[in-house]
Amino acid sequence: MTVKERVAALHARMKETGIDAYLIPTDDFHGSEYVGEYFKCRKYITGFNGSAGTAVIMQDMAGLWTDGRYFIQAANQLEGTGITLFKMGEPEVPTIHEFLKKNLTQGMCLGFDGRTISAKEASELEKILDKNGVSLSVDYDLVGDIWENRPALSCEPVMELDIKWTGESRTDKIARIRKAMEEKEADTFVLTSLDDIAWLLNIRGGDVHCCPVVLSYLIMTQKAIKLFANEKAFPAEVLDALTKDGVTLLPYDSIYEYVKTFEKDMTVLLCKQKANSRLVSNIPAGVKILDEENLTLLPKAIKNPVEVENERIAHIKDGVALTKFIYWLKKNVGKIPITELSAEEKLYSFRAQQENFIDNSFDPIISYGKHAAIVHYFATPETDIPIEPRSFVLADTGGNYYEGTTDTTRTIVMGSVTDEEKKFFTAVLRGMLNLGNAKFRYGCTGANLDCLARGPLWELGKDFNHGTGHGVGYLLNVHEGPNNFRWKIVPGNTAVLEEGMITSDEPGYYVEDGFGIRHENMIVCKKAEKTEYGQFMYFEFLTMVPFDLDAVVPEQMTAHERELLNNYHAQVYEKISPYLDEDERVWLKEATRTI
């Protein structure tokens, strides 16, 4: 069916069930950023395949809300579908809540699959719409009803991570979380986010593309741990090890009935922002719910010394692959046929040569020319274009290794570039270097430091429409909270930067139908000296890949900024050159020359 035909089929089901508006988020049953094929209802209905967006379908309209990363992509993919694009955060564009409040009136019904909407969001919708006399219908998966040949739920094999990778045993992690439960006076901890469960149990899977997690829920008390997952995914040795450590496996879907057995004098800790509304609504009235962040969030984000050292190794391996790729691309452009997709395949082959490489950590973004202005563009057979000996290639890619997860962006000069392109290339690079070399007092958040990255662009009256950085998991989600860099101070953007947190540093600049520039390194937070003013902190670059000096304007940089770049390039050469052949090594020496 076409998108229009799918929307029409959904309209028919809405009429049958008495639903006037149907809400379709991107989420799976666990609030994951990226979801398995089974859960891609929003993509199925709208045709938009970006990682973030929510659809609202009514009988007389269909709309898609998405953020600034996807404005260009969404506009292209929605063309001709009859679905209206709502650009989140833009002037005079209503939020989804504002839209629903205005357009749903007395006696109307809003529907959604309660497993795909968080308990917090469902509660907010109920409060907003109850004043209008609007009811909620939360038990129907209407998209699933019309989805012909829907993919099955994933059931990829589960593996156990050795302590040489994790730096901490499963039993020690469990003991830490149980101690935190005691401090919170919680009898039970309900955990639904997939990366938290994988971290806690030292297991990994493949149930979400590029995210090595296992479809599961977990309920923990001081005496028992119940893991709700598909038993077929667990090899006997992994199941035996979990059982030995007090973990009991139960069927994946049985969580919804299990929580109904909670006794009324229990205190249950869970995060309503992450736990889905159907699960939370099944907990009996009278059970005390502590709605707090997952107890695993901060321990997972603060990497231990073993994880940090492993990440250094992963980034050297990744740096070798990317350096070989950049050399190959610059040497061969205009001489042999190269397209965005063939370049992507070539980079994958360089990563695959590295020991302990598992897979990409996200779908690679190899975008040439004007495609690079689409922040989260990724090439398809329909959009794939040749790479020519001019302009830029933006390569935002990463790998999962047993030693950790990488995420690196380089903007690579393919030939002639304009003075304007060089000016912004240099401005973005200055911002990346200034943030990555920040020194600051303990207690700062990413919002305190974000202006260091945006400053060179703000001086030019320019900016970029995405965050400056995100936390990165250890062989887990490439986007991980709570640490980040954002310029707006909003709820949820207040995490203090702790020693061991790994965050991306990735300012950019984009001209629609023109070009795109982004420079990204991963950095780990470390302790500096402690003085009478308190503990000071700094960052260490983990990423070891050269920046393309062919687009750098040294005169635009301060002497300190040139020193920062030269020092960084000296490290890149020292750490990467031993793994290159002679031609590559000679090229890297020139590519990391002092300016």
Side-chain angles (χ1 to χ4, degrees):
M1 291 190 288
T2 65
V3 168
K4 286 185 175 180
E5 289 170 337
R6 291 169 184 171
V7 172
L10 182 57
H11 281 157
R13 280 293 292 136
M14 290 167 62
K15 284 184 178 180
E16 293 170 4
T17 52
I19 292 174
D20 299 286
Y22 196 68
L23 188 66
I24 311 169
T26 298
D27 289 353
D28 57 13
F29 303 159
H30 307 273
S32 306
E33 178 182 11
Y34 300 107
V35 302
E37 293 300 318
Y38 173 89
F39 298 102
K40 293 185 177 179
C41 293
R42 187 261 300 150
K43 174 187 173 183
Y44 180 78
I45 284 295
T46 66
F48 168 63
N49 61 7
S51 68
T54 299
V56 175
I57 309 297
M58 299 181 68
Q59 291 296 342
D60 58 353
M61 70 79 62
L64 173 78
W65 278 254
T66 193
D67 61 48
R69 296 172 296 169
Y70 294 110
F71 288 168
I72 300 173
Q73 177 183 337
N76 292 336
Q77 293 182 331
L78 295 181
E79 187 174 355
T81 64
I83 298 174
T84 301
L85 173 61
F86 290 81
K87 298 181 178 180
M88 293 167 60
E90 293 294 290
E92 300 183 9
V93 175
T95 65
I96 293 174
H97 287 185
E98 291 167 345
F99 177 88
L100 293 173
K101 185 177 180 180
K102 180 180 179 181
N103 289 277
L104 295 182
T105 56
Q106 181 73 36
M108 298 181 77
C109 178
L110 171 68
F112 53 81
D113 182 347
R115 296 170 299 176
T116 65
I117 297 287
S118 74
K120 181 180 180 182
E121 172 70 1
S123 178
E124 290 177 358
L125 287 168
E126 187 174 20
K127 289 177 184 177
I128 292 168
L129 298 177
D130 186 58
K131 296 175 183 178
N132 289 14
V134 176
S135 62
L136 299 183
S137 173
V138 302
D139 294 325
Y140 292 110
D141 177 11
L142 296 187
V143 178
D145 292 346
I146 67 167
W147 192 340
E148 298 176 354
N149 301 315
R150 185 177 189 173
L153 277 172
S154 179
C155 184
E156 293 297 311
V158 176
M159 67 176 180
E160 186 171 18
L161 279 190
D162 191 274
I163 196 170
K164 69 180 179 181
W165 308 122
T166 65
E168 186 177 12
S169 70
R170 174 169 51 239
T171 53
D172 285 345
K173 289 180 178 180
I174 290 169
R176 274 211 283 164
I177 301 305
R178 282 181 168 149
K179 183 178 180 181
M181 289 171 60
E182 282 184 4
E183 293 169 354
K184 298 284 186 179
E185 298 183 346
D187 305 303
T188 302
F189 176 33
V190 177
L191 190 56
T192 64
S193 46
L194 302 181
D195 59 326
D196 287 275
I197 295 170
W199 174 84
L200 178 63
L201 299 182
N202 284 346
I203 59 174
R204 298 296 188 271
D207 287 335
V208 177
H209 179 56
C210 294
C211 301
V213 293
V214 182
L215 283 178
S216 54
Y217 307 91
L218 184 141
I219 295 178
M220 176 190 292
T221 67
Q222 290 296 338
K223 295 182 178 180
I225 296 176
K226 309 293 185 183
L227 179 64
F228 299 82
N230 190 334
E231 185 175 358
K232 294 179 181 178
F234 290 77
E237 63 273 16
V238 175
L239 193 55
D240 288 345
L242 288 168
T243 302
K244 181 181 177 182
D245 290 336
V247 180
T248 301
L249 195 63
L250 296 172
Y252 176 64
D253 285 328
S254 67
I255 179 98
Y256 296 97
E257 292 300 314
Y258 187 90
V259 298
K260 291 179 180 179
T261 67
F262 286 174
E263 297 177 3
K264 292 185 179 181
D265 62 348
M266 290 174 59
T267 299
V268 176
L269 191 150
L270 55 78
C271 180
K272 287 188 176 181
Q273 190 171 359
K274 294 178 180 176
N276 73 57
S277 60
R278 186 181 296 181
L279 187 154
V280 175
S281 66
N282 278 5
I283 296 175
V287 172
K288 182 179 179 180
I289 294 180
L290 297 179
D291 177 20
E292 300 189 14
E293 259 305 351
N294 285 332
L295 299 175
T296 48
L297 180 71
L298 203 56
K300 173 167 55 71
I302 300 173
K303 276 58 181 178
N304 61 50
V306 171
E307 290 174 311
V308 172
E309 182 56 34
N310 284 340
E311 283 280 8
R312 291 191 183 99
I313 295 169
H315 279 84
I316 290 175
K317 293 179 177 182
D318 213 54
V320 171
L322 276 162
T323 300
K324 285 176 173 286
F325 171 71
I326 295 170
Y327 168 75
W328 172 85
L329 192 59
K330 291 174 75 74
K331 178 182 177 182
N332 290 292
V333 65
K335 299 176 183 176
I336 63 174
I338 303 175
T339 70
E340 293 168 325
L341 283 178
S342 70
E344 180 183 313
E345 293 171 0
K346 188 68 175 180
L347 176 52
Y348 187 90
S349 73
F350 285 128
R351 280 199 169 102
Q353 294 171 15
Q354 305 304 311
E355 185 181 15
N356 291 331
F357 173 70
I358 297 171
D359 201 353
N360 292 327
S361 56
F362 56 96
D363 283 324
I365 300 169
I366 304 287
S367 48
Y368 172 67
K370 65 181 183 180
H371 280 173
I374 306 172
V375 177
H376 275 205
Y377 166 88
F378 62 91
T380 67
E382 294 75 28
T383 65
D384 189 28
I385 58 174
I387 295 174
E388 300 175 356
R390 58 181 176 81
S391 191
F392 294 131
V393 164
L394 189 155
D396 184 350
T397 69
N400 275 325
Y401 301 78
Y402 281 102
E403 290 89 353
T405 296
T406 70
D407 180 3
T408 303
T409 307
R410 288 296 182 266
T411 304
I412 308 162
V413 178
M414 291 292 91
S416 59
V417 290
T418 67
D419 289 342
E420 180 189 30
E421 289 169 329
K422 289 182 179 180
K423 177 177 74 173
F424 288 111
F425 184 102
T426 306
V428 175
L429 180 57
R430 290 173 58 209
M432 197 285 308
L433 290 168
N434 288 334
L435 175 56
N437 286 277
K439 187 175 181 181
F440 53 96
R441 278 183 63 177
Y442 175 77
C444 282
T445 72
N448 296 123
L449 304 179
D450 186 88
C451 61
L452 295 174
R454 294 180 191 264
L457 285 172
W458 284 355
E459 291 168 6
L460 300 171
K462 304 295 184 181
D463 204 355
F464 52 95
N465 200 9
H466 59 75
T468 304
H470 55 85
V472 180
Y474 184 95
L475 188 49
L476 278 173
N477 296 353
V478 75
H479 295 148
E480 177 182 274
N483 44 309
N484 60 54
F485 296 113
R486 300 284 190 277
W487 70 274
K488 287 186 178 179
I489 300 176
V490 296
N493 189 26
T494 56
V496 170
L497 294 164
E498 302 278 357
E499 182 180 34
M501 283 182 169
I502 293 176
T503 317
S504 70
D505 170 7
E506 50 178 314
Y509 182 70
Y510 313 91
V511 177
E512 187 171 350
D513 291 325
F515 61 90
I517 297 163
R518 188 159 63 253
H519 303 307
E520 177 187 17
N521 273 7
M522 280 173 56
I523 53 180
V524 59
C525 188
K526 302 182 71 175
K527 286 183 178 178
E529 73 273 19
K530 190 173 185 178
T531 73
E532 68 272 23
Y533 293 100
Q535 180 67 56
F536 281 81
M537 314 293 288
Y538 71 102
F539 298 121
E540 172 194 333
F541 283 128
L542 293 174
T543 305
M544 287 291 137
V545 181
F547 295 98
D548 200 329
L549 294 177
D550 291 344
V552 172
V553 183
E555 296 77 16
Q556 194 177 317
M557 306 174 73
T558 67
H560 179 60
E561 289 167 345
R562 291 195 296 271
E563 181 183 16
L564 294 178
L565 180 58
N566 289 334
N567 289 343
Y568 174 74
H569 272 162
Q571 288 185 63
V572 170
Y573 184 79
E574 175 188 354
K575 293 181 179 180
I576 301 302
S577 62
Y579 303 98
L580 305 179
D581 66 31
E582 183 61 27
D583 290 342
E584 293 164 339
R585 194 157 42 246
V586 170
W587 172 83
L588 181 61
K589 188 68 174 177
E590 175 64 14
T592 56
R593 65 190 180 275
T594 301
I595 62 168

